[in-house]
Amino acid sequence: MALVYLGEEMADELKVFTGNTHPALAQSICDYLDTPLGKIEVFEFSNENIFVRILENVRGRDVFILQPISSPVNKSLMELLIMIDAAKRASAERVTAVIPYYGYARTDKKDQPRVPITARLVADLITVAGASRVLTLDLHAGQIQGFFNIPVDELTALYILSRYFEEKQLDDLVVVATDIGISKRARDMAARLNTPLAIIEKRRLGNTTEAEMLTVIGDVEGRHALLVDDEIDTGGSISSAALTLLEHGAKEIYACCTHAVLSGPAVKRIANSPLKEVVVTDSIPVPESKKTDSITVLSLAALIGEAIHRIHNDLSIGAMFQ
Ligand code: R5P
């Protein structure tokens, strides 16, 4: 039998695949990279078992699998793990799990008796599935990087969000951390925007999602305020923080965060709060039904696309932020 050269791509070509959670972001990243989105089937059988088939050759390729671990969280995670397994078994040279939103990140320590550290469990699952490295964004706690024994590159949306507010040129702006835990990131935002920093002291009540505002550390009276958080889940923290700032005399109140979980009552709470605008990224898909006038979604496609390009070509990721 004569062997025929079929004109396939070079083995060093990168390939990007995605599951069902955020195909729009994967497509925008591929547009940035000027490469077609990889062909793959990811579907559920009637018995709820997820099945994956990669529909093109990945032997020896540098494969990137994009999937935020967002709603439906457990299905997103399972799809991600099975896609990694499929790529590894198809002899991909290297598999990078691209996880714009790392779900379960808030369960990152054993702070009560008999509780799990699920963020660590998820890291183990991703590693055992066959990922060679991870590319992620604004982890709830940076230490989660250390839950992996494979390289982790953590990007930040800080520059995308700060540029947006720089362009607004709000006078007398103060950056406000929604709680003490986020104060370091809020300080970085304040440094970028050259503004003072204030912090809201918040105490959570047990395991419930309800939070109690206590006090504002810093001066917000008569100023534009920009609340900073890593994620908005039920919108409870951000809307009560906005109310507290209003009570302390803030002028107009804005908020920004990387991850728009926007579960349950979040959109309604934002709409009913004194927040003028909430700026988020597309690390998690924001459905049309949740895109109200006061919610602005900024794209991460260029940031993640550039990081993929750099990982593929062994270039520095750190240099992107200098
Ligand atoms: C908590 O530690 C996080 O930084 C956020 O403040 C939290 O996830 C926001 O949750 P929610 O919107 O439900 O108040």
Side-chain angles (χ1 to χ4, degrees):
M1 186 181 77
L3 288 177
V4 182
Y5 172 65
L6 294 170
E8 287 191 62
E9 321 87 351
M10 302 289 290
D12 69 354
E13 200 199 22
L14 71 85
K15 293 272 183 193
V16 179
F17 295 94
T18 195
N20 291 310
T21 309
H22 206 348
L25 178 60
Q27 184 57 61
S28 311
I29 289 170
C30 286
D31 293 346
Y32 177 88
L33 291 165
D34 199 18
T35 188
L37 184 57
K39 295 188 183 66
I40 190 168
E41 292 183 319
V42 184
F43 64 91
E44 207 177 75
F45 289 118
S46 53
N47 63 3
E48 293 177 25
N49 289 192
I50 293 166
F51 188 72
V52 165
R53 193 157 71 102
I54 298 174
L55 300 171
E56 53 188 292
N57 180 23
V58 293
R59 192 175 291 273
R61 303 294 201 278
D62 192 13
V63 169
F64 294 81
I65 297 179
L66 180 131
Q67 181 104 312
I69 305 175
S70 60
S71 178
V73 172
N74 297 322
K75 195 168 169 189
S76 297
L77 174 60
M78 220 39 219
E79 282 190 4
L80 173 66
L81 298 173
I82 297 172
M83 285 188 288
I84 295 170
D85 183 71
K88 234 18 220 179
R89 290 177 193 280
S91 304
E93 172 70 20
R94 179 171 71 169
V95 179
T96 301
V98 183
I99 309 171
Y101 175 68
Y102 192 93
Y104 285 110
R106 283 159 74 183
T107 314
D108 63 348
K109 59 179 113 35
K110 198 164 179 289
D111 51 5
Q112 313 168 46
R114 301 175 296 282
V115 296
I117 304 179
T118 319
R120 167 65 202 244
L121 173 64
V122 169
D124 286 346
L125 290 169
I126 291 166
T127 309
V128 169
S132 325
R133 54 189 307 133
V134 169
L135 174 61
T136 189
L137 181 86
D138 285 334
L139 289 165
H140 178 64
Q143 298 89 306
I144 292 170
Q145 290 175 17
F147 290 177
F148 289 90
N149 283 325
I150 53 175
V152 176
D153 290 303
E154 183 185 355
L155 305 175
T156 177
L158 175 77
Y159 303 90
I160 294 175
L161 295 167
S162 63
R163 204 176 310 128
Y164 181 85
F165 283 98
E166 232 160 32
E167 283 165 11
K168 274 192 175 290
Q169 298 191 330
L170 299 167
D171 57 353
D172 288 332
L173 182 64
V174 57
V175 168
V176 186
T178 314
D179 64 22
I180 288 170
I182 199 75
S183 55
K184 191 173 166 299
R185 269 184 240 188
R187 190 196 61 197
D188 293 344
M189 176 69 85
R192 290 276 307 169
L193 294 172
N194 203 15
T195 72
L197 174 70
I199 300 170
I200 292 190
E201 198 204 348
K202 167 182 90 171
R203 211 164 283 170
R204 277 198 182 276
L205 302 173
N207 286 331
T208 68
T209 48
E210 280 174 46
E212 186 191 355
M213 289 304 150
L214 292 180
T215 186
V216 179
I217 306 168
D219 186 16
V220 299
E221 193 169 349
R223 289 176 171 274
H224 284 108
L226 171 58
L227 280 160
V228 173
D229 211 340
D230 59 333
E231 69 175 46
I232 299 176
D233 183 357
T234 64
S237 307
I238 213 87
S239 50
S240 346
L243 203 59
T244 306
L245 292 178
L246 191 71
E247 286 161 8
H248 283 74
K251 217 165 31 182
E252 280 178 340
I253 304 158
Y254 296 80
C256 68
C257 77
T258 305
H259 306 298
V261 179
L262 299 180
S263 67
V267 174
K268 213 177 215 167
R269 281 181 172 165
I270 290 170
N272 295 334
S273 78
L275 287 161
K276 185 171 167 63
E277 186 180 6
V278 176
V279 182
V280 302
T281 77
D282 59 355
S283 66
I284 294 171
V286 181
E288 286 306 318
S289 58
K290 294 187 179 174
K291 282 187 187 153
T292 62
D293 287 349
S294 57
I295 298 181
T296 303
V297 184
L298 305 181
S299 172
L300 293 170
L303 178 74
I304 297 178
E306 181 61 25
I308 289 176
H309 165 76
R310 283 169 178 266
I311 290 170
H312 179 63
N313 293 293
D314 290 332
L315 298 169
S316 164
I317 296 281
M320 289 169 66
F321 301 105
Q322 277 158 14

